[in-house]
Each structure stands twice: as structure tokens, then as C-alpha cells.
Amino acid sequence: MRKNMWWKLALILAVIIVFTVAIVPTESNPERIPLGLDLKGGTHLVMRVNTVDALRAEVDQAMETLKVQAAREQQPVPEVRRVTDSSFVLTPPAGVNTTVYEGIGANWLPMFETSSTPGGLTYTLATAAMTQIEEQTVLQAIETIRNRVDALGVTEPIITRGGGRDRIVIQLPGVDDPVRVKEIIRTTAQLQFRLVEGGSSMTQEGVTLPAGVTAADVDILPGKQLDTFGRTTGVQYYAVRKNIPMTGRDLKSARVQKGEMGGSTIGFSMTAEGTSKFGELTGGNIGRQLAIVLDNRIQSAPVINSRIDGEGVIEGNFTPQEAADLALVLRSGSLPASLTTLEERTVGPSLGMDSIRAGVTASIIGFMLMVVAVLLYYRGAGINAIIALLLNLLILLGMMSYFQATLTLPGIAGIILTLGMAIDSNVLVFERIREELRSGKGVRASIEAGFSLALGTVIDTHLTTMIAALFLFQFGTGPVKGFAVTLLIGLAASMFTAFFVSRVIFELVYNRNNRPVARMSI
């Protein structure tokens, strides 16, 4: 045996050991390859992030900033109103020039472009700023959803972008309560603390405003009307300031606790910065109502009796489950925009087991038929191809285990297709060897020529298939992406087994000594 044969055999043995270890189940990790929804059961969602919500919020915040800065600079406060999702109009008080407001906009609203209109100014979000806001909104939504799903304890969730700039694909294997999970994911959970102006009323029209406060300064929001026992008896409307001094971003934690009447409430604590802001807010408004607003609905509007530093309670007649879910979404952060469900699929675990059984059965039958065909047609060389094929399958499964690639039903189809392509590589090599033998060359020369001449063809076929698989991986979602992953790994493995392992086997059989070989079983 030639000296360079030892390192080749050692490499093949190392590959077998490394990838065998990867797929052997252990007590701590019985499922070495994660199963997809179609095999394990669970929920598949495709959601659209309504980025227009984030644009509106940016415009509303810009309007409030402009008014606040005008007052700080001792300038007349202008009238502002949003005209589109990405722009607002400023109308200065009578006799006031717009130049001063142009300066404020340039200093404090860098993302807005200013243009003059009859009687005022128009502020419009720049195209680059809109693109940046939309991108950040989607990324923040993905992170928030991931935090919520992780808090629920869902194993191996897949949360990623797909199918469009504003699309999010969510796969939750093994979820036993998909309705609750979907509600938690979709809940925007935009928490705000806003001061109440005037009294409350059973109708929107009946809300009265104190002197000096106009309708443009407030939002009329609904809340719950409770009886003395804390039960909801109707709807009550409040006028709250448009200015939002604090939001859920200032929260450090939220937890479920018992209320005075035995019901469930949510206790919260603030960050260091939030504590300072909350102390100033409550300390400077003793005797006034502070509305706790969640998703534009008032949960409670307690009167501020003293300065509050760092901690508070949200009361709202919650059930224990509602309180637990609300505390979870508050801890994980609010979504920057609402979500719309575009696609929803739920697969039961029994259907998943049927898919596994059918896929494995089809794979075994296909594999056995392929083995029989190869052995009958190529005889001794067919055994070489089968050994390489088994090693190809081992490498494919081992790589999926190491990379924690999710195995789906289309992924099983990808494995079968990959095995077919691996045999196809051997077929190309074997046919080249046959041609060389027919031309009168010796066995060893025919083997050398067969591998050399077939290499270019095999690379071409594999490369074109890999390009298609890469596009499937880039633009596909869920099962399609799983198919692409298995196909890519399998194609790379087949190149190794067809041109390295098979060649080593031939060398072991026909190059063991320097004696000439009379015939070859092919």
C-alpha cells in the first residue's frame, strides 16, 4: 500500500467518527436534528409589520417636539396637524413669521424636509429617513416577538424575515396552545403614561375640557367603568394629553400580583432613568389623574396622591391568565407597529408522525431500489457506489445536526434527491471508466482517466443545482428553506464521496501492489 493512502484512510475514518457522534442520540439531547412543523407539529405564521404605524408615531412625536421647543424658546406655540402618514402642516399664529419655526425644525427635526405652503410650513419625512424607520421597525418587531416567544418556553422557534421587506415568518414547533401564542405575538403592548385633562364621561362628546385646553391638545380614549367591587360595567372616556412623558421603554420589569379586591394586577418597576422621570411626573402633578394607557385604551386612571419613585401598579380587572400574558409582553417590550396575519398553518403532532413514517418509508424503498439497480448494472463497482452513498447520508445528517438545521418533510425529499445526485456522480465516473476500458486502456489507467474526465461534468451539474438551491434558501420560507438546506449540504457531501471516497476504494482494490490488473468488475 502506498504511503499517501494512510492519510486518506485516516481522513475517511475521522469523517465517519465525527459525523456518527453528531447523530447518535444522548440522554441530554435525544433529538439531535430539530424537526420542522410538518414533522413535529406546531404553528406557522406569516405576518406583515404595518410600518405605517411607526411613520405616524414619528410624525406625531415630531409635532409634539416642535411645539415643546417653541414654548421653551419663548415663541408662540403654532398649530400643527398631520396630513399624511409621513408629513404634517404647521400654521403659525396670526402675525408670526414662519422663519423661527424653520430654525426649530432644522435643529430638532433632522429627518424632516421643510417646504413653504400658503400660510405655513409642511414637514415631510425624507425618503432615506422613511426607509430607515421602516427597516428598524421590522427588526425591532422581530426582536420583540423573539423575546415573547422565548419567555413562553417554545423550543427551537424560527423567527425571521421572509417573503418581503415587511414580512416576518414565525414557526413554533410543538405549540399546544396556538391561539394564546398568536394573541401574545400580535399584542402591540404600547404602554403610555399620560396626564388626564378634565373629567370623564360615558360618551366621547360628553368629555369636558378645562379652560385653556383645546381639542387639538388632547386625545379622547376609552377606558373601563368599574363598580365598587371592581367589576366592569361599561365604557368611560377620558381626555388625555397628546404629550407622552413616559412609555413602556422606561420599564425594567413587570409581574403579576394580587390587588386589593383579590383580583390580578400588574406591578411594575422602572429603570434608573425611568425612576427619575416618573418621580418628576408624579411629584409635579399631585392631585391630578394619571392615565395608564395600553394600546390606546386606558387601563386605569388613578389620582396621584404623592410622588412615586420607581414602582407602580396597573389595575384593569384582569383574569390571572390575562395578567400573566400582559406582564410577559410588557417585560419583552412593546411592538413598534401592529401586525397583520397573512398566512397561518397549524399541524398536529399525529399528522407530523404520519409524515415522518411516510417520508422514512419512501426513503427506504427508494434507497433499496437504487441499491439493487446499481448492483445489477455495475456489479463490483456498484458496491463502491453504495459505500460512498452511505457515507454521503452520514455526512448529510451529521452536518444538519452540527448546524442545528431543521428537518422538514421537503427536507426529506431533499435528502432523497441528494442521494440520487450522488449516485448520478458515480454513474458519470463509471461510464467514463467503461469507455476507457473499451478503448483498450488498462484498469488503473481507466480509473485515473474516468475520474479526471468526469470531474468537470460533475462540477457543472452540482454548481447549477447549488445556484438554484441558494435562491430557494434566500427567498423561500419554512419548508422550502429546509429543502434548500438539505440539498446544499448533500451536494457538497456527494462531491467528497464521489471523487475522494470512491477513488480511495478503487485504489485499495486495484492498486494494492504493483502487479497488473487484468479485469475490473464494472
Side-chain angles (χ1 to χ4, degrees):
M1 186 182 295
R2 292 184 298 178
K3 292 182 178 179
N4 65 349
M5 183 62 65
W6 288 108
W7 75 263
K8 294 179 181 179
L9 292 175
L11 177 59
I12 294 174
L13 181 61
V15 168
I16 293 173
I17 294 174
V18 167
F19 289 109
T20 300
V21 170
I23 64 174
V24 174
T26 62
E27 185 175 348
S28 60
N29 188 9
E31 187 180 285
R32 301 305 298 266
I33 301 177
L35 300 180
L37 296 182
D38 49 2
L39 298 180
K40 190 175 183 178
T43 300
H44 171 91
L45 299 170
V46 178
M47 290 186 162
R48 181 180 65 224
V49 182
N50 299 316
T51 53
V52 68
D53 293 347
L55 296 178
R56 290 174 186 160
E58 188 68 32
V59 171
D60 290 343
Q61 185 175 352
M63 290 191 297
E64 190 64 28
T65 298
L66 198 148
K67 291 167 63 177
V68 169
Q69 292 304 321
R72 287 179 178 176
E73 295 181 16
Q74 298 181 347
Q75 299 293 337
V77 177
E79 179 183 342
V80 291
R81 60 184 178 87
R82 176 158 44 87
V83 290
T84 68
D85 296 327
S86 58
S87 64
F88 68 93
V89 170
L90 177 147
T91 304
V96 179
N97 195 290
T98 59
T99 305
V100 63
Y101 302 114
E102 291 178 0
I104 294 175
N107 293 330
W108 294 95
L109 306 178
M111 292 192 297
F112 285 79
E113 297 174 344
T114 308
S115 60
S116 298
T117 56
L121 297 171
T122 298
Y123 290 83
T124 305
L125 273 169
T127 303
M130 291 176 60
T131 302
Q132 180 183 359
I133 292 171
E134 291 171 347
E135 179 73 11
Q136 290 176 345
T137 299
V138 175
L139 294 177
Q140 184 182 343
I142 291 174
E143 189 62 29
T144 301
I145 292 172
R146 181 176 288 110
N147 290 339
R148 295 180 182 181
V149 171
D150 289 345
L152 284 170
V154 178
T155 57
E156 301 295 342
I158 298 175
I159 304 165
T160 184
R161 300 178 76 164
R165 290 179 56 188
D166 58 351
R167 303 294 198 271
I168 298 177
V169 177
I170 305 167
Q171 295 183 1
L172 308 173
V175 171
D176 56 359
D177 190 0
V179 175
R180 178 188 172 218
V181 172
K182 285 182 289 185
E183 283 302 316
I184 290 175
I185 289 174
R186 279 196 295 252
T187 301
T188 310
Q190 290 180 332
L191 180 66
Q192 302 169 348
F193 298 88
R194 302 168 70 172
L195 291 170
V196 176
E197 295 286 359
S200 59
S201 174
M202 300 286 291
T203 63
Q204 287 181 289
E205 297 78 11
V207 177
T208 58
L209 300 177
V213 178
T214 66
D217 299 323
V218 298
D219 289 323
I220 307 298
L221 300 180
K224 298 177 182 178
Q225 185 183 46
L226 306 177
D227 61 16
T228 55
F229 296 100
R231 296 174 300 193
T232 303
T233 58
V235 179
Q236 198 162 4
Y237 291 90
Y238 298 82
V240 296
R241 276 275 179 185
K242 282 186 179 291
N243 180 38
I244 305 172
M246 293 190 64
T247 66
R249 295 180 182 178
D250 297 303
L251 291 187
K252 181 173 67 176
S253 66
R255 60 200 175 277
V256 180
Q257 58 188 37
K258 287 292 184 182
E260 294 181 358
M261 305 299 294
S264 296
T265 62
I266 297 98
F268 61 86
S269 57
M270 298 286 184
T271 62
E273 182 181 355
T275 298
S276 176
K277 290 164 64 176
F278 202 50
E280 291 180 8
L281 175 63
T282 54
N285 293 279
I286 294 176
R288 297 185 62 179
Q289 283 182 284
L290 179 66
I292 301 175
V293 184
L294 183 67
D295 291 341
N296 289 325
R297 188 174 184 86
I298 296 175
Q299 298 297 326
S300 58
V303 175
I304 302 172
N305 295 319
S306 62
R307 179 187 174 98
I308 303 174
D309 289 311
E311 295 191 352
V313 176
I314 302 174
E315 298 175 336
N317 195 24
F318 302 110
T319 65
Q321 187 66 70
E322 289 173 343
D325 291 345
L326 178 55
L328 185 153
V329 297
L330 289 176
R331 285 195 304 271
S332 58
S334 63
L335 284 171
S338 59
L339 301 176
T340 301
T341 303
L342 301 179
E343 180 186 343
E344 177 182 339
R345 296 198 307 269
T346 301
V347 180
S350 59
L351 182 59
M353 291 304 299
D354 291 340
S355 299
I356 294 175
R357 194 176 301 110
V360 171
T361 301
S363 301
I364 292 174
I365 293 174
F367 183 79
M368 295 305 298
L369 290 174
M370 189 162 52
V371 167
V372 172
V374 169
L375 291 177
L376 289 177
Y377 195 71
Y378 289 110
R379 290 175 290 183
I383 298 175
N384 182 328
I386 300 306
I387 294 174
L389 191 64
L390 291 172
L391 184 56
N392 188 342
L393 181 61
L394 175 65
I395 294 173
L396 173 57
L397 296 177
M399 290 287 284
M400 293 186 68
S401 176
Y402 279 124
F403 287 110
Q404 287 295 287
T406 303
L407 180 63
T408 62
L409 191 58
I412 295 177
I415 292 175
I416 299 172
L417 177 61
T418 299
L419 296 180
M421 297 226 22
I423 281 292
D424 184 59
S425 299
N426 287 109
V427 168
L428 289 173
V429 174
F430 293 170
E431 289 300 322
R432 282 289 188 178
I433 294 175
R434 277 182 166 182
E435 290 176 4
E436 298 299 317
L437 289 171
R438 292 192 192 102
S439 68
K441 288 185 178 180
V443 172
R444 293 172 183 168
S446 297
I447 292 174
E448 290 290 332
F451 278 99
S452 299
L453 294 173
L455 180 61
T457 303
V458 173
I459 289 177
D460 286 344
T461 58
H462 280 58
L463 189 60
T464 52
T465 308
M466 281 183 172
I467 291 172
L470 285 171
F471 276 97
L472 289 176
F473 180 82
Q474 178 65 31
F475 299 105
T477 59
V480 175
K481 184 167 288 190
F483 172 81
V485 169
T486 54
L487 188 57
L488 284 169
I489 296 175
L491 289 171
S494 71
M495 288 291 295
F496 172 75
T497 56
F499 282 91
F500 185 82
V501 177
S502 290
R503 195 163 186 166
V504 169
I505 294 174
F506 276 137
E507 289 181 3
L508 281 174
V509 174
Y510 297 106
N511 288 351
R512 284 178 296 182
N513 49 55
N514 294 323
R515 296 177 183 176
V517 181
R519 60 187 299 273
M520 179 180 182
S521 179
I522 194 171

